[in-house]
């Protein structure tokens, strides 16, 4: 399995080159509109004075950091605005490995494929901890795997690809494991607005200097191309993170920060509730069709992904390409997410054609 170059781009290239209509269930790009206030913010920005088109403060526009901090219950000085969640996770993992408290990163299996690649890029080593059939992570298994070499424990809740949502008790115990080994818990919470279970608990509920929380507005506001994310660091780790961010990226898009801030202030909760209802309906539509095709599948408690296992059809790149050619549906091979899901295919429910995709899969596997 090649963790260093995620298979996402290979699958998308193959689907885009297909000689037939293909329904994209690969990418995590929401198909619904961003908040109206975000669009309004971008329009307003176009008419601002020339100085507003120059470098913003490297750590992020102060007003946005203050808004994030107020919502998350932290000091604005702990917030670094980043180029999406990807950079937020990169900065967090870099800080963990720079502390000279080990070189090992504990990751879950299945895993979001970018975490292993970042680990290798930063000079760390990977150790994988398996999750249960429903995607839950047992803190005792993490405790057994942790050692003096453990620099960080990286988790994603709500989870991609399993849809699991870790309860507060799990998050509390994971922080305790990190504290016991002078490691950091890095909690990627980019799907927090897509908690379908009402069980989501941020790592910020635990008061500790051994946890970093990352997030972005890419998914919650349906703007994956805007690249505005953030990381919340313990006070003693934030300055070095700001320095690395400055050296790597200088700063994050100023118009994007302005638009996100406007959306945070002006978007009603109904926007997020409506999108969660949309996802719940799509989950039912899609899994009903998987029932009809005789597939085994996961029912997500959060995020917007479903894993499916079809008898005699393992989740290899070759089989995913067959689905594209023969069924006109593009998913992600389970082997991209780790050893435990090599028999599965992951589908993203962020297309208005979920019902059509479900019908195509049912017909193909009949």
């Amino acid at each position: 399995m090649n963790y260093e170059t995620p298979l996402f781009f290979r699958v998308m290239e193959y689907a885009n080159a297909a000689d037939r209509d293909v329904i994209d269930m690969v990418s995590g790009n929401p198909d619904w509109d961003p908040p109206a206030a975000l669009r309004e913010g971008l329009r307003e920005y176009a008419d601002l004075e020339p100085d507003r088109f120059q470098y913003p403060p490297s750590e992020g526009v102060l007003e946005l950091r203050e808004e994030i901090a107020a919502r998350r219950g932290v000091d604005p000085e702990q917030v670094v605005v980043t180029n999406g969640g990807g950079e937020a996770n990169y900065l967090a993992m870099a800080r963990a490995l720079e502390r000279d408290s080990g070189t090992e990163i504990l990751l879950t299996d299945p895993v979001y494929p970018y975490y292993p690649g970042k680990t290798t890029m930063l000079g760390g080593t990977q150790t994988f901890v398996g999750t249960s059939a429903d995607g839950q992570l047992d803190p005792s298994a993490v405790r057994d795997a942790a050692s003096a070499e453990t620099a960080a424990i990286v988790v994603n809740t709500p989870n991609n690809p399993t849809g699991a949502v870790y309860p507060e008790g799990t998050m509390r115990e994971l922080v305790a494991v990190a504290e016991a080994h002078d490691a950091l818990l890095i909690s990627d919470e980019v799907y927090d607005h897509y908690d379908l279970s009402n069980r989501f608990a941020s790592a910020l509920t635990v008061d500790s200097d051994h946890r970093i929380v990352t997030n972005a507005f890419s998914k919650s506001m349906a703007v994956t191309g805007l690249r505005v994310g953030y990381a919340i660091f313990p006070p003693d780790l934030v300055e070095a993170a700001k320095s690395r961010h400055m050296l790597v990226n200088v700063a994050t898009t100023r118009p994007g920060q302005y638009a996100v801030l406007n959306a945070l202030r002006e978007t009603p909760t109904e926007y997020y509730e409506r999108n969660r209802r949309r996802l719940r309906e799509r989950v039912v539509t899609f899994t009903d069709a998987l029932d009809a095709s005789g597939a085994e599948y996961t029912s997500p408690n959060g995020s917007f992904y479903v894993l499916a296992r079809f008898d005699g059809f393992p989740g290899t790149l070759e089989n995913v390409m067959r689905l594209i050619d023969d069924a006109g549906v593009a998913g992600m091979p389970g082997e991209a997410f780790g050893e435990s899901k090599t028999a599965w295919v992951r589908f993203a429910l962020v297309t208005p054609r979920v019902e059509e995709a479900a019908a195509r899969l049912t017909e193909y596997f009949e």
Side-chain angles (χ1 to χ4, degrees), residues 108 131-132 135-143 153 155-157 164-178 185 187 199 201-203 205-206:
T108 62
T131 61
S132 63
Q136 288 296 318
L137 180 62
D138 184 351
S140 65
V142 178
R143 188 176 297 108
I153 304 159
V155 298
N156 172 215
T157 177
V165 176
Y166 301 160
E168 183 177 352
T170 294
M171 302 306 292
R172 191 169 297 281
E173 290 187 54
L174 291 174
V175 172
V177 174
L185 174 69
S187 182
R199 297 180 65 207
S202 171
T205 60
V206 186

Side-chain angles (χ1 to χ4, degrees), residues 68-129:
I68 292 168
R71 290 166 177 264
R72 305 312 303 267
V74 299
D75 190 296
E77 289 302 312
Q78 295 178 250
V79 179
V80 180
V81 179
T82 61
N83 285 285
E87 194 210 351
N89 288 320
Y90 163 78
L91 291 179
M93 295 170 75
R95 289 304 297 122
L97 291 167
E98 289 167 347
R99 294 170 64 245
D100 295 325
S101 185
T103 60
E104 176 189 63
I105 304 289
L106 294 186
L107 303 169
T108 62
D109 182 6
V111 66
Y112 175 58
Y114 284 67
Y115 302 150
K118 284 183 171 68
T119 301
T120 301
M121 179 176 66
L122 289 165
T125 59
Q126 310 152 7
T127 297
F128 294 93
V129 180

Side-chain angles (χ1 to χ4, degrees), residues 5 21 64 88 103 128 164 179 184 192 218 236 269 278 298 334:
T5 304
D21 172 61
L64 178 57
T103 60
F128 294 93
E179 290 175 338
L184 296 174
D192 59 350
S218 302
D236 64 329
T269 57
R278 186 198 319 266
T298 59

Side-chain angles (χ1 to χ4, degrees), residues 267-321:
T267 301
T269 57
E270 168 58 23
Y271 171 80
Y272 305 104
E273 293 168 358
R274 181 170 63 250
N275 293 333
R276 285 190 290 272
R277 287 197 301 271
R278 186 198 319 266
L279 280 176
R280 288 189 179 96
E281 292 168 0
R282 289 182 179 181
V283 169
V284 172
T285 297
F286 194 66
T287 57
D288 281 354
L290 292 178
D291 279 329
S293 68
E296 184 180 352
Y297 57 84
T298 59
S299 293
N301 287 317
S303 73
F304 34 66
Y305 305 102
V306 168
L307 286 161
R309 180 165 64 180
F310 304 97
D311 189 37
F313 195 88
T316 62
L317 179 61
E318 180 183 8
N319 275 343
V320 163
M321 290 177 173

Side-chain angles (χ1 to χ4, degrees), residues 191-211:
Y191 296 101
D192 59 350
H193 279 72
Y194 299 106
D195 172 24
L196 307 180
S197 67
N198 297 316
R199 297 180 65 207
F200 170 75
S202 171
L204 292 173
T205 60
V206 186
D207 185 16
S208 174
D209 287 336
H210 288 265
R211 53 103 177 97

